Amino acid sequence: QVQLVESGGGLVQAGGSLRLSCAASGRTFSSAFMGWFRQVPGKEREFVARINWSGFWPYHADSVKGRFTISRDNAKKMVYLQMNSLKPEDTAVYFCAAGSVATVVPAQYDFWGQGTQVTVSS
């Protein structure tokens, strides 16, 4: 239906930058909204940002607002997460998600990528 593949994760120093990419394929028209989430061991998946395909409705979690920026390229079916001023607490597995509604709740998204590890060292 919808396949999502994340890339761009890696190890960076605190204060550095990293750009994550999410390549979408399949029936992407059925999922109007794309989101980024992150998760660390022992904690629930956390909302990071979301954006819609048909318009310009970006929304960022307070914890990353001003540092992270979500964007998309409809022609390429790509969603990006530009991460600046990275902190050690940003360390997590970052997941790309697709769904039909605007939400910050992981369970309300329909499709997920495998995730990409982001590690920020002090």
Side-chain angles (χ1 to χ4, degrees), residues 86-99:
L86 284 162
K87 306 174 181 179
E89 50 263 46
D90 294 319
T91 296
V93 176
Y94 283 71
F95 296 90
C96 180

Side-chain angles (χ1 to χ4, degrees), residues 64-91:
V64 304
K65 192 173 297 182
R67 298 189 298 121
F68 293 8
T69 302
I70 189 171
S71 62
R72 81 278 191 271
D73 185 329
N74 288 26
K76 296 180 179 179
K77 295 184 178 180
M78 297 286 290
V79 180
Y80 307 98
L81 185 68
Q82 179 66 47
M83 305 185 294
N84 299 326
S85 301
L86 284 162
K87 306 174 181 179
E89 50 263 46
D90 294 319
T91 296

